[in-house]
Amino acid sequence: MSKPRILVTRRWPSAVESILSDRFDTTLNTDDLSMTGEALSAALGEYDAVLPTVSDRLPAAVFDGVMPRVRMLGNFGVGYNHIDIDAAKARGIVVTNTPGVLTDCTADIAMLLLLTVARRGGEGERQVRAGEWQGWCPTHMIGTKVTGKTVGIIGFGRIGKAFAQRCHFGFGMDVVFYNRSPVDPAEAARYGARQLPAVEDVLASSDFVSLHCPGGAENRHLMNAERLATMRPGAFLINTARGDVVDELALIAALKDGVIRGAGLDVYGAEPHVPDALRAMENVVLLPHLGSATEETRTAMGMKVVDNVTAFFDGRPPPDRVV
Ligand code: DGY
C-alpha cells in the first residue's frame, strides 16, 4: 500500500522532519518560505495531510472551490485561530494541535516580558549598545518593582496556571484571574491564585495584566479601549496569547495617552507586521512570537504532530483532535 502523501508547510526541527520522511511520502518546504493562499488551496487537493503552522492562513476561502484530497490538518502549534475550523469540519477534515508541550516556555516568555517592561530591560540594553550610557546614578532608568505586586491573568488554562505559579512562588506576587468557567478554589490555590467574577474585576485590581486566552472570534479585541481604560493607570499589559485578543489601535492610543504605563508583546494582529507606532515607543517590549521557541519545545511540538498523523493514518483516534 502506498504511503500517505503529506506536506509540511515550513521547516521543522530536523529530527522531526526525518521521522516524517521515514513514515510518510513527505514533501518538505526546504526553502522555508511562507505559502500563499493559492498554494495552500492547491495543497488541499493534492495531499492526504497538510501540516500547517501559525504563519499559514487557512480562512474559509482557501477551502472554497477545492475538491479536497486532504483528510487531516496536523497543526504545528497549540493555537489554531489561523484555520477556519468550521470550513474544515464541513468537509470532514480532521484538525489536530499540540497542547501541553509549550506551557512552560510560553509562561517563561510572559515572565520575561513582564520583567523586561517593568525594569526597562529593553531600553537599558539599547542604551548600552548605542554607547549612550553615562554611568550609574540614583535616578537612572528607574523602573517598577515586581515583587509583591498584583498580577491579573485572563484565561486560566495550562499556560495561565504556569504563569501564575511563576509569579506567585517566584516573585511573591498576588495573583488574580478571570476564567470563563469556574475553577475549584483549591486548584487555583495550588498556583497561588484566586478567581474573580469578571474581566473588569481583574483589570481594575492588577498592576500587571497577562493574556492567556485563545485567539479567534470569541476573544477578538477582548482588550478594547474600554477595557484598557479599566486598567490601573500605572499598569502594564502582557500578551503572549494571540494578537487579535488586543485592539492594537486602542492599545497604541492607551500607551500614548498614559492610560496604561507599558506593554510587553510577543504576538500581533497582522504578524509579522508590527505597527510603527509600537516600534517607536520606549515603554513597550516587543518580541517576534518567541513563546515556544526553544529547541526542546519545538521538537516536542513536532513529535506531537507525528503522533497525531501516525494515529490518524493507522486508524486510531489522534490524541490532540480539535475537530
Ligand atoms: C502556538 O503554538 O500556538 C504558539 O503561538 C506558537 O508558539
Side-chain angles (χ1 to χ4, degrees):
M1 218 175 74
S2 61
K3 292 179 176 180
R5 286 197 80 203
I6 69 167
L7 172 71
V8 185
T9 65
R10 298 298 299 263
R11 280 255 73 150
W12 286 14
S14 53
V16 187
E17 286 187 344
S18 64
I19 296 176
L20 286 170
S21 301
D22 285 347
R23 287 194 194 168
F24 303 101
D25 174 5
T26 303
T27 302
L28 301 173
N29 179 350
T30 46
D31 296 331
D32 202 19
L33 295 173
S34 262
M35 291 178 64
T36 61
E38 279 122 44
L40 285 166
S41 244
L44 298 180
E46 290 163 18
Y47 290 89
D48 299 302
V50 171
L51 312 186
T53 190
V54 178
S55 58
D56 298 308
R57 298 275 151 260
L58 289 142
V62 163
F63 295 83
D64 287 345
V66 185
M67 275 298 289
R69 166 173 173 168
V70 89
R71 292 161 57 207
M72 184 207 184
L73 297 174
N75 186 52
F76 183 101
V78 68
Y80 48 86
N81 63 322
H82 52 287
I83 302 173
D84 190 311
I85 291 297
D86 293 335
K89 199 171 171 181
R91 290 158 181 82
I93 301 169
V94 167
V95 181
T96 60
N97 70 343
T98 62
V101 291
L102 39 77
T103 305
D104 287 323
C105 287
T106 307
D108 290 347
I109 282 285
M111 203 70 234
L112 175 73
L113 285 171
L114 186 153
L115 291 169
T116 307
V117 73
R119 300 301 308 275
R120 304 176 65 176
E123 281 176 79
E125 225 242 356
R126 284 190 289 279
Q127 190 177 66
V128 172
R129 281 183 188 273
E132 285 167 1
W133 181 36
Q134 302 293 319
W136 193 94
C137 74
T139 54
H140 179 230
M141 219 169 260
I142 302 302
T144 300
K145 185 173 176 179
V146 169
T147 303
K149 294 280 171 64
T150 299
V151 62
I153 295 175
I154 308 295
F156 206 61
R158 290 186 186 86
I159 301 173
K161 287 175 182 164
F163 180 67
Q165 191 171 43
R166 282 155 176 73
C167 290
H168 183 71
F169 296 103
F171 293 88
M173 300 179 87
D174 187 28
V175 183
V176 293
F177 67 91
Y178 169 78
N179 194 59
R180 253 186 330 182
S181 49
V183 177
D184 177 359
E187 163 78 354
R190 285 182 49 210
Y191 302 93
R194 78 201 134 83
Q195 187 163 16
L196 298 182
V199 173
E200 284 71 16
D201 299 324
V202 170
L203 301 180
S205 30
S206 303
D207 303 299
F208 298 89
V209 171
S210 191
L211 305 175
H212 296 283
C213 52
E218 59 181 327
N219 291 325
R220 188 178 149 73
H221 292 184
L222 177 126
M223 290 305 294
N224 54 22
E226 293 74 41
R227 290 225 169 93
L228 287 162
T230 311
M231 288 174 66
R232 292 180 172 175
F236 298 86
L237 179 71
I238 310 299
N239 190 10
T240 54
R242 278 293 181 266
D244 61 1
V245 178
V246 176
D247 177 344
E248 236 160 43
L249 291 177
L251 174 64
I252 290 165
L255 288 162
K256 273 196 181 139
D257 300 344
V259 172
I260 64 170
R261 181 150 173 190
L265 308 173
D266 189 40
V267 288
Y268 307 89
E271 294 177 15
H273 171 73
V274 178
D276 289 347
L278 285 176
R279 294 198 288 127
M281 287 177 187
E282 285 291 2
N283 55 338
V284 175
V285 177
L286 304 168
L287 294 181
H289 204 146
L290 291 182
S292 62
T294 62
E295 215 172 297
E296 296 87 341
T297 292
R298 290 284 163 86
T299 302
M301 289 164 75
M303 292 311 297
K304 280 227 134 201
V305 185
V306 169
D307 290 347
N308 283 312
V309 188
T310 305
F312 180 79
F313 286 111
D314 283 354
R316 291 179 284 115
D320 306 302
R321 183 171 175 165
V322 293
V323 68

